[in-house]
Structure formats: C-alpha cells, structure tokens
Amino acid sequence: DASSTYEEEEEEEDDDDDEEFTVGEEEGDVGGAWGGMEDRGRGRRVGGGGSEEARRLTVRIALSSNCTSGRNPTYCSGGDGGVGNDDDDGSEYESLLRAHSDVYPGPETSVGYDFFTPGTTKEEDGEAKVNEEDDDEGGAPPPGAARVKFDWDARSMSLEDGGSEIEEEEEVEDGGNHLLMFALPHHMDAFADSPSYGGVPDSDSNGDSPPSYAVIPADDDDDDNDHGAPRHFCHFCQPTLTGPACPFFGSTWSYVEPLPTLRFTASRPPVPEMIPTLIDALAKDIDYDIPAHYRRGAGDTYFSGKLLARLGRVLMIGEELRGLRRWWWEEEEEEDDGGGDGGEIGEHSAARDGAESPFLRRERSAAGRHRPDEDENADFPSLPLEYDLSSATSPPSDVDALANLVPSSRAAAADSSDLPPSSSFVSALERLRSGVEVWLDGSAETPFVYDAAWGGLVSCGCLFEGDTGKCRDNVNKDGQMHCPAFDDPGLNFGNGHYNDHHFHYGYHVLAAAVVARFDPEWGRRNFENVLLLVRDIATPFESTGGEGSGGGGGDHSFPPFRHKDFYAGHSWASGIDPSPPYLNGRNQESSSEAIAAYEAVGLYGDAMVRAFTASSVDDDNDGDASLIARAAHVRDAGRLLAATELRSSDRYWHVRLQGEEEDAGGDDDAGTKNGESPSSLLPVPVPPASLYPEEYDERVIGVMWNTMAQFQTWFGNDPFLAYGIQLLPLTAISEERDDLKWTKSMYPAFASSCEESAVCTEQGWSILQLAVLATVGRRSDASERALSVPPESFESAGGNGHSLTNLLWYIATRPNVDDPLPLNAERVGFGHAPGADAETDGVVPGSAKNAEEEAKAPIDEGGDNNDGDENGGVNVDVDDGDCPPCLEEICRGGSDGLGHCPVKAAPYVCTDGPSRGGCSGAPWTVSVEGDEGGPCRGCCKLGPECGDGR
C-alpha cells in the first residue's frame, strides 16, 4: 500500500485574499524529545502573495496480486502464504480495495503513546512525584503499561477540497468510507493481547472501552459467521515477507503494550552451588582494565562501548554478591538480638501484586552494614537487591521457589571468604567512571560531533595506527578539523552515516547507568551529556495523553526514536543509504543488541529518577521535580521501546517452523485469540507461529531487510554467527527475549555448528551457546564447560562484551526447567569437536569478511582498524571454491541487485538459495538442491573491475 502527494503550482486570479499554504512542516522542524513525532525538513512553504497555490494530487496504489512470474508457490498456483485466503481469483479482494480507495492516510499521520498502570484511572497516573509516600530512593512506582496509538489522519479524496480530514463519525456503517490499512502479525498479536480483544482504554477510562479497530465484516449470508462477528480473519489476508497482513479499517489503531520491569539483576539470585565459582571469577574480572586507547577515547564507538559495559556488568554482579552477604550478616545480628527473621519473600499476594517485597526493604535497612572483616577504609555504596517477581509472569510456584532459593544463596555468599574487598570495587568504579566520561566531556581523541544536517550525534572517526596506538591526525592542511567518518561509510561500522547508533550508544548508556547508580552525584552532574546519547537513539516524542507522560517542551535537535519503525514494530540499523543504495532496502542484523540498547535507556532513566529523587529528599528541594519527570519519561520510553522490540524480535527473528503450530499467543487454535469470541466482541486475527515458507528451515533470521530475510551475517555465513548475533549481550532482559520453546528448538543446530568449528570458540561465540545450554535446563553442563572457555575468547569479536563472571552469573540465574533438553551423548565438548578440521567450516582463519569483520581485529591492537591490508582486506590465498567470477551484468549492479556486495571486504555473492543476495568475505559452501540446511546453492566472486568503492 502506498500513497503519495504531488504538488502542482498554477496561476490563479485572486484579488480578494492572499493565502499561504503549508505542506508538511517548516524546514528544520524535527519534533523531539518531549515534542511531536514529525519528519524533519520534509515540507516547504509554497504560494503566498495570491499568485500561486498548492493543489494536492493524491494517488493511492495497492498491489492486488504478488504473483508476477507465475513460479512462486507462496503467491501463485493457489498458494496463500499460509494465510488461508479462499479468494481464488482475487476479485473479491480487488472489490474491497476499490471500495476503500477514496480514504487515505494523511500527511499528519502519527504514532503516540502514554503510560498508565492497569486498574487505575488517568488521574492516578501522571508525572513522577516526590512525597512522603514515595520510596526515598526510587520515586513513584513506574507505570505498568503503555497505550500505543496510530493516528492515520484519514483523508477523503472525494470531499470538496480534494484532501480533507474526515472524522470517524463521517464513516458509513458498511465500511465503504473507512480507511483500509493492513496489520502485520505483531500488530494482531498486540490487539489480541489488549483488553476487549483490542479495545484499548482511552486516556480517561479504566480499560472497558470497545475495540478501536475493526476487521472486514462478513456478508449476512456467510455460513461461517455463526456468532454475528466479522468475517473470519483469513478471508482477505495477504502473504508478505514476514507473514500474513490483514486488512483492518478505522482512522486510528490503539493497543496496550505491557512494559517490562528493567533491573540489573535477574528475577532470582544465583544458585548457591555456583556462588563460590562465581566469586572466584569475580576476583579476577573486578580488576579488568579497559584498553589504553579506549581510556583516551581513541577508536571505534562499538567495541569501546562493549568493554565499558563489560566492566559495568562485573560491578553490578559483584554488588549483588556483596548484597547477599550483607543481608545474611544483618539477619544474624538481628537473631542475636531477638529480632524477626525478615528474610522471606512474604505472602504470595504481596509479591504478585507488584508490591515491594519484604526482602527488598530488608536490604535497604541493612545498607552500609559490613561483615567485620571487610575493608572498612574503602567507602563503596550499597545498592538494594531486587528479586521480586511480577504477577504478569510468575505463578505462585515460582514465588515459592524464590522464597526457598534466596536464603540458600545468601548463606553461600556469606560462607565465601574470597569476595573482593571494597577497595577493589572502588578502583573498578573509578576506572569505569573515567572511561565513560572521556567520551562525554569533549576530551576524546575520537570526539563526538553534532550533525545539524541530519540532527544527530556522530563519531568523528579514527584512522587508528597500530604501531602508535593513536588516531591519525584529524586536522587537515588548512588546520581545520577533519572527520574521516564522514568520508568513509564503512569506518566505525558506518557510524558517521548513522548506521548502528543504537547498538553502539546502548553500551555506553548502560555503562553510564551503572556509574549513576553507584554515584548519583556524578549522574546528576553528567545528566545532559549522557542524555545526548539517549536523545540520538531514543528521543521520546510527546505522548497521546500529554499530561501523564512526564515530558514537556520540545527537542528540535534530534528526530524521535531514530532507528525505531513503529509500524514494522522493530528497529532498522541501517542509516543513510550507501551509494549505490542497497536494493533490498533497510536492514537490521542483531535484534538482541537493539533490545539491549533500549534496556540500557530504561535503566539509565531509572538510575536518574533515583538520583534526582534522592537529591530532592535530602535537600528538601522541589526544584528537581521536573528533572525527575524527565528522567521518568526516559525510563518509560526505554521500557516501551524494549517491549515493542521484544515482541517483534520474537515474531520475526526467532523462527518457528511449519508444523510447530502453537501460535504466538500460546493457543493451539490460530485464528482468533482464545478461540471463539463472544458475540459482543470482535475476533482478533492471530497469525500462526510459522511465518516463513517451508523452504526456510532455519530457526533464526540473521539479517532482516525490507524485502529479504537472510540466514547469514554481515561478517560471515556460518550458522553459529547467525544464531550468536541474536543472543548478545547477556543481560537481565535476555530471559524475556529468549522463549524456552524457541531456545530448545534452535539449540541443536546452533550447537552443531559451533562444535564443528574452532572459530566458534576462538571468536567467543561459544559463550552464547553455553548461555542457551543453561536456558534449556542444562545448568550444570553449561557451568562446567564455561570454566574451559579460553580467556582469549572474552577478548574476541563474539565474546569481548562479556566476561567469565557475566557468563557464570547468567548460567547461575537461569530458572529451573522441568523437562531439560536431551543432549547428544556423542558431543563431548563445545566450540570444536575432537578431530574436526578448523579450516572446513566455511571461514578461512585470517581472512577479512568485510569492513565490520576487519574492525573486529583484536581490540588491543587497534580501534577503527578498517583499512585492511594492501590486498583490500581479503586474503589473496583464499581458494575461491565453488564461486567463479561473477558475470558482467552482476558486476554492473543488475540481475536483481546481486552486485551490491563490497568488493574489497565481502566479494562472494550468493546467487541462488535461501541466502540469495548475501555477501561474504569467504567462499560460500555451495549445496545442491535438496541438501538440508544449505543456505546457498550457487555463488560467484566480484572482481576488482567492479570498483574499489563497492
């Protein structure tokens, strides 16, 4: 569906009135942090003076059939893409499109949101407050959900002025004048999960309003319509790349999105039997030192952020262990004094209603009290433990399990005598604080600069010289600052061209959140500086509710939610298109890093709510109220972004195969949520769990494009890379990200690929395999194997954002699984099966796979190491295997865009098979048709004649 507006300027005689017509917004108005969501610079003023006038010409186009070649089984020969469409010749569908063609989405189409707590009225929500009932550190309780609203600004072409906005009441009962739009699978999941099957409460209701959309109604004589509800959802759904899209009518859509509770800890403490091993790892990792060039702010923004976040996670895990030990000793003293135990989780109702759990309060009363042999001369702050489970995800049995686990974990922490002293934590925090600050205060050798043209914060770039450990001089011959990232779209992963900003900055923001939690004064002092990174990737726009959003004012320096596509439901990592542009459109590789970026935004907002609230209480100062509200908006916007990214990543990146037909809502009856709906409610379409054609038999998407889904990555085509890039980093939100059934289904393929390749362990990807192994119920196996991971793996591309401490913590905090995944008894190790040939895995050690892989050289040898060697970063000794030279038409960029691959970095093009169009720095392993799991059935190699800039 596409609609475009063209302008014609014509002379008119108008002696009475001088009118000025505005198309879009004034140039340069970008919306912003606390303002509306608008496209920057998309409009211009025309007319004026009575001599010219803009006349709007609107054309609405809909594709009535995707069958163009007659060969695609999904779209042709009666194929329906799995949506059950029974309109064989398409005539009914075409009639439907024509009936609704008059109404189109207008230029003021927008997405908005506001926050609320289910079961409360709007008056009970609102901005964060500071009063005697609020917690003295955390402020008002955060809201539990967000109302998301799409306002399509419905316009009619047939009304008098050719483009007037219409009101809902003007739409006729039979839907003939309704706006028709298509909902994607994640929309329908969200509608079905919302109150009243999609009926979302407006700002002033309690949640009982009728649905805010409608599916296409059935004919009166429709035999299938046995309860008076609209026609079955499959009747007009159309197959798309990411599953069925179904027509809905209505000028607005809205739904409720539950917000995740973000914390640095898991929902439960580490199991007691792993705490001694975890403390041993912590004793080494607490002394981790960030490489010298990153401490000076020299190098790339991606790996520097990962290493800062690595140290931040170590600090948080260490503080969790310190908290468990403090708690134990506090209770021992109370028992000696005849006090109560105070250490249990309390009644189920308290924990399940979202109330603060008793042991959380207990930890706060114990704050600052130390075990006698602890280093009293070092002052390191104490943070509360937060393990309480939410009612939305935790049945009473889980609460019981937690109540039993906590005392044992506390006792194990108390019995461990090797917990690093406070002085080690003080030193680690200082290293982290200075490491974060150098990127924010303007002293970095690779500085951030503000780009007024696109409204963004970009890295100037670093041409890193390995022999000196410094960036090449960025001052040109005229003595002016020169930013190499502006000239080289591959430098620093394309940061200067807005690629991957949320991946990069999310790690930096997480590290800043850790510092702010331990040092609130530092947080308050650096709030605006850190907020620049947040605003670049996640500037919240004004919510639909307005008053309850905690926002105010407008941020005209950054576009709202730069990477987020609210209609697609997920983010796009690609920024400004390269030249020539990718013919498959925008793309995103790592859905998990997008989730983690928004988790970091939420955690930072929460840290700053606490910092400003503590300042207000301590100083009896109401002046921080606006800052608390602003931080709360950042917190909740991060939670909303994380929630929507979680939903869409699980839908589109985590693949369920055909035959595994449990739908996304957890019901076996795909079609309507919870089966048949009462006659007073509309049945909501819930697409099946399997969205992709049966030919795609992998369990994950490696790279998602607008028009293509690939089982590969930008830096290689080994299966373990496609799986691993969707699993890092390992943080608390990973538990919500990785559904147990999906992890069980994908683990065998992931493990098989990893165990056949030494590269999987050498580059740190086996770390993610072990995390999944623990998730599927094999905690003991995973912990044993984790101790055998070479230390070098934590310094390599797949593992350098992690540490042994973080890996063991993740394994130790996985929930128990009633039916663990059976393991293949023949697999005795991980990362490289005994006797396997390290050079038969499709990746030649030492070869560069593209500019990104070159940047993934050992971090202690360089920062933006993107120049490669004299052969363009490709090993000239690599055997081209089954990839002959590409034909001239591919080199010219023809043949369906197969020639878009970069010649220097990834010249091998997959020309046939599931990964058709994919690029690789090493030859594809070509499979014959019918081979199971073969991602590529034909390939060729682009030559130098295709151009060095490709």
Side-chain angles (χ1 to χ4, degrees):
D1 188 304
S3 58
S4 301
T5 301
Y6 299 86
E7 299 168 14
E8 289 185 357
E9 296 182 357
E10 64 175 19
E11 298 285 341
E12 277 196 359
E13 293 184 8
D14 187 353
D15 296 331
D16 298 325
D17 297 300
D18 289 344
E19 296 185 354
E20 183 175 60
F21 295 84
T22 303
V23 181
E25 303 294 326
E26 290 189 40
E27 190 167 355
D29 186 357
V30 299
W34 331 116
M37 182 178 182
E38 302 154 357
D39 294 333
R40 74 184 310 271
R42 62 180 170 84
R44 61 183 179 87
R45 288 193 179 277
V46 298
S51 61
E52 294 179 339
E53 180 177 295
R55 190 173 70 182
R56 194 186 305 270
L57 171 63
T58 300
V59 179
R60 194 170 195 209
I61 303 170
L63 185 66
S64 62
S65 173
N66 279 351
C67 182
T68 54
S69 65
R71 298 190 301 269
N72 191 316
T74 301
Y75 304 109
C76 306
S77 303
D80 59 13
V83 298
N85 193 330
D86 57 1
D87 183 16
D88 292 334
D89 62 1
S91 59
E92 291 184 69
Y93 178 56
E94 291 180 2
S95 297
L96 173 70
L97 296 177
R98 292 190 180 97
H100 292 266
S101 62
D102 177 63
V103 185
Y104 65 95
E108 302 303 321
T109 292
S110 64
V111 182
Y113 64 87
D114 62 7
F115 302 114
F116 74 105
T117 299
T120 67
T121 63
K122 181 185 175 184
E123 287 71 20
E124 294 172 301
D125 294 328
E127 299 182 1
K129 308 175 185 67
V130 181
N131 56 49
E132 64 274 11
E133 296 181 359
D134 289 339
D135 187 271
D136 62 358
E137 187 191 48
R147 303 176 184 89
V148 179
K149 181 177 181 180
F150 289 81
D151 185 344
W152 298 112
D153 184 36
R155 305 291 179 106
S156 170
M157 290 185 277
S158 63
L159 296 182
E160 183 175 353
D161 68 356
S164 297
E165 185 173 4
I166 59 176
E167 300 295 335
E168 197 72 42
E169 56 267 20
E170 294 176 358
E171 300 178 2
V172 297
E173 290 297 324
D174 65 0
N177 198 37
H178 281 293
L179 174 67
L180 183 69
M181 297 294 288
F182 282 83
L184 301 178
H186 73 281
H187 296 136
M188 293 178 268
D189 294 340
F191 293 154
D193 290 340
S194 296
S196 302
Y197 302 104
V200 179
D202 60 30
S203 298
D204 299 312
S205 73
N206 266 332
D208 300 321
S209 62
S212 58
Y213 66 87
V215 290
I216 304 305
D219 297 330
D220 293 338
D221 58 355
D222 186 356
D223 294 335
D224 294 332
N225 182 18
D226 57 7
H227 52 58
R231 175 177 293 193
H232 191 272
F233 86 102
C234 288
H235 191 69
F236 289 119
C237 295
Q238 301 298 309
T240 72
L241 174 67
T242 53
C246 300
F248 283 59
F249 59 67
S251 61
T252 61
W253 294 356
S254 56
Y255 60 87
V256 169
E257 189 70 75
L259 302 180
T261 299
L262 301 181
R263 55 170 66 91
F264 287 103
T265 61
S267 296
R268 63 200 66 78
V271 292
E273 61 268 24
M274 286 190 64
I275 285 180
T277 304
L278 182 55
I279 290 177
D280 288 343
L282 175 67
K284 298 179 181 178
D285 287 333
I286 196 69
D287 293 326
Y288 174 74
D289 201 3
I290 301 165
H293 59 284
Y294 286 143
R295 294 201 304 270
R296 303 194 316 269
D300 70 283
T301 52
Y302 178 62
F303 286 113
S304 61
K306 288 181 74 174
L307 299 187
L308 289 169
R310 167 180 172 166
L311 182 55
R313 293 285 309 130
V314 169
L315 269 167
M316 278 297 181
I317 294 167
E319 172 56 22
E320 180 179 2
L321 295 172
R322 292 174 76 243
L324 286 168
R325 189 170 71 169
R326 281 196 307 270
W327 186 6
W328 173 267
W329 282 92
E330 171 70 14
E331 288 199 357
E332 289 291 301
E333 293 173 5
E334 284 197 358
E335 290 178 4
D336 291 342
D337 294 338
D341 60 18
E344 301 302 325
I345 192 169
E347 297 297 327
H348 294 162
S349 59
R352 289 175 52 78
D353 289 341
E356 184 181 61
S357 62
F359 61 77
L360 179 58
R361 289 195 297 272
R362 161 65 56 190
E363 173 55 30
R364 283 177 181 156
S365 70
R369 304 197 58 171
H370 303 283
R371 183 174 175 171
D373 61 354
E374 196 168 356
D375 181 3
E376 298 291 348
N377 295 321
D379 182 18
F380 191 76
S382 301
L383 302 181
L385 293 173
E386 300 176 332
Y387 292 137
D388 36 343
L389 302 172
S390 69
S391 59
T393 59
S394 301
S397 60
D398 285 349
V399 180
D400 291 337
L402 179 60
N404 294 327
L405 173 62
V406 169
S408 299
S409 296
R410 288 160 35 212
D415 289 341
S416 299
S417 59
D418 296 327
L419 194 66
S422 292
S423 57
S424 295
F425 287 86
V426 171
S427 176
L429 179 59
E430 177 54 36
R431 295 195 304 275
L432 181 63
R433 182 166 36 224
S434 61
V436 170
E437 197 167 311
V438 70
W439 296 92
L440 303 174
D441 63 8
S443 63
E445 293 180 22
T446 308
F448 282 117
V449 294
Y450 178 75
D451 172 26
W454 289 90
L457 195 69
V458 297
S459 171
C460 187
C462 171
L463 299 177
F464 195 83
E465 297 179 332
D467 55 342
T468 65
K470 296 182 178 181
C471 299
R472 194 180 307 165
D473 193 358
N474 286 351
V475 178
N476 63 20
K477 61 181 180 181
D478 297 324
Q480 296 178 331
M481 184 72 177
H482 172 69
C483 289
F486 296 171
D487 301 327
D488 185 352
L491 190 64
N492 191 15
F493 304 91
N495 180 282
H497 291 241
Y498 292 93
N499 286 348
D500 298 354
H501 275 207
H502 55 332
F503 298 162
H504 296 210
Y505 299 170
Y507 287 113
H508 284 263
V509 171
L510 179 70
V514 172
V515 178
R517 285 291 281 121
F518 286 115
D519 186 352
E521 175 55 34
W522 181 93
R524 292 188 290 267
R525 195 169 60 248
N526 287 274
F527 180 54
E528 294 298 336
N529 285 344
V530 178
L531 207 58
L532 287 172
L533 296 174
V534 173
R535 288 162 63 190
D536 183 83
I537 64 172
T539 299
F541 54 86
E542 186 178 23
S543 67
T544 54
E547 295 176 13
S549 68
D555 180 354
H556 301 289
S557 300
F558 296 90
F561 301 158
R562 182 182 304 280
H563 292 276
K564 190 73 171 186
D565 182 337
F566 268 92
Y567 180 76
H570 58 79
S571 298
W572 298 107
S574 51
I576 305 170
D577 271 337
S579 181
Y582 295 124
L583 298 184
N584 290 308
R586 295 172 292 179
N587 73 84
Q588 176 161 275
E589 184 179 55
S590 180
S591 61
S592 55
E593 286 186 295
I595 292 169
Y598 300 135
E599 175 193 29
V601 170
L603 287 171
Y604 178 70
D606 179 69
M608 294 313 302
V609 168
R610 297 171 188 257
F612 288 127
T613 301
S615 174
S616 294
V617 172
D618 293 344
D619 301 336
D620 193 22
N621 180 12
D622 293 335
D624 281 344
S626 63
L627 292 173
I628 295 171
R630 202 172 176 204
H633 196 193
V634 170
R635 175 198 64 197
D636 296 328
R639 295 169 69 209
L640 174 59
L641 290 168
T644 53
E645 204 79 17
L646 282 165
R647 181 187 292 277
S648 295
S649 295
D650 189 57
R651 244 329 189 171
Y652 302 129
W653 271 262
H654 299 177
V655 179
R656 280 82 174 173
L657 302 186
Q658 293 190 16
E660 302 169 349
E661 288 302 320
E662 181 179 6
D663 69 310
D667 302 300
D668 293 331
D669 179 22
T672 62
K673 185 73 171 181
N674 300 325
E676 295 295 322
S677 303
S679 59
S680 61
L681 300 175
L682 298 175
V684 174
V686 178
S690 175
L691 298 179
Y692 299 104
E694 62 183 8
E695 290 81 3
Y696 192 94
D697 57 1
E698 307 296 346
R699 300 288 184 158
V700 74
I701 300 295
V703 183
M704 180 71 73
W705 298 74
N706 282 117
T707 61
M708 178 171 67
Q710 290 179 296
F711 183 64
Q712 69 163 79
T713 70
W714 279 101
F715 48 93
N717 58 5
D718 286 287
F720 65 79
L721 296 175
Y723 285 106
I725 200 65
Q726 307 305 335
L727 296 168
L728 58 80
L730 299 173
T731 64
I733 206 171
S734 302
E735 185 171 330
E736 295 192 49
R737 181 192 70 202
D738 301 334
D739 173 76
L740 179 59
K741 289 187 176 180
W742 175 70
T743 53
K744 281 187 172 182
S745 71
M746 66 80 137
Y747 180 78
F750 183 18
S752 176
S753 172
C754 193
E755 291 166 4
E756 292 171 359
S757 171
V759 174
C760 185
T761 295
E762 291 169 0
Q763 293 188 355
W765 299 103
S766 63
I767 294 169
L768 289 314
Q769 179 202 342
L770 297 181
V772 179
L773 182 61
T775 300
V776 300
R778 296 291 178 178
R779 183 193 299 128
S780 296
D781 294 317
S783 60
E784 179 181 353
R785 297 181 186 185
L787 297 178
S788 299
V789 175
E792 296 78 12
S793 296
F794 296 102
E795 309 300 329
S796 301
N800 63 8
H802 297 112
S803 61
L804 181 58
T805 297
N806 194 69
L807 174 59
L808 290 172
W809 168 86
Y810 192 80
I811 293 171
T813 56
R814 295 310 85 205
N816 292 326
V817 177
D818 293 334
D819 53 340
L821 182 71
L823 296 182
N824 185 341
E826 296 179 358
R827 290 179 181 154
V828 297
F830 67 94
H832 190 204
D837 183 355
E839 296 196 13
T840 60
D841 60 357
V843 176
V844 180
S847 66
K849 303 178 179 56
N850 63 5
E852 180 172 2
E853 183 62 12
E854 291 180 49
K856 292 182 178 179
I859 55 172
D860 57 350
E861 296 181 6
D864 281 355
N865 185 19
N866 294 91
D867 289 341
D869 57 25
E870 61 181 359
N871 299 306
V874 177
N875 189 330
V876 295
D877 296 327
V878 173
D879 183 0
D880 291 341
D882 297 320
C883 301
C886 293
L887 299 175
E888 184 180 355
E889 64 181 54
I890 293 180
C891 183
R892 292 198 309 264
S895 188
D896 297 329
L898 291 178
H900 73 274
C901 296
V903 173
K904 284 185 176 181
Y908 296 94
V909 185
C910 180
T911 58
D912 188 27
S915 292
R916 185 176 185 274
C919 310
S920 178
W924 290 87
T925 301
V926 176
S927 61
V928 297
E929 189 168 0
D931 279 0
E932 292 186 4
C936 185
R937 292 192 290 269
C939 67
C940 67
K941 181 182 180 182
L942 297 172
E945 66 275 7
C946 292
D948 291 340
R950 299 290 296 284

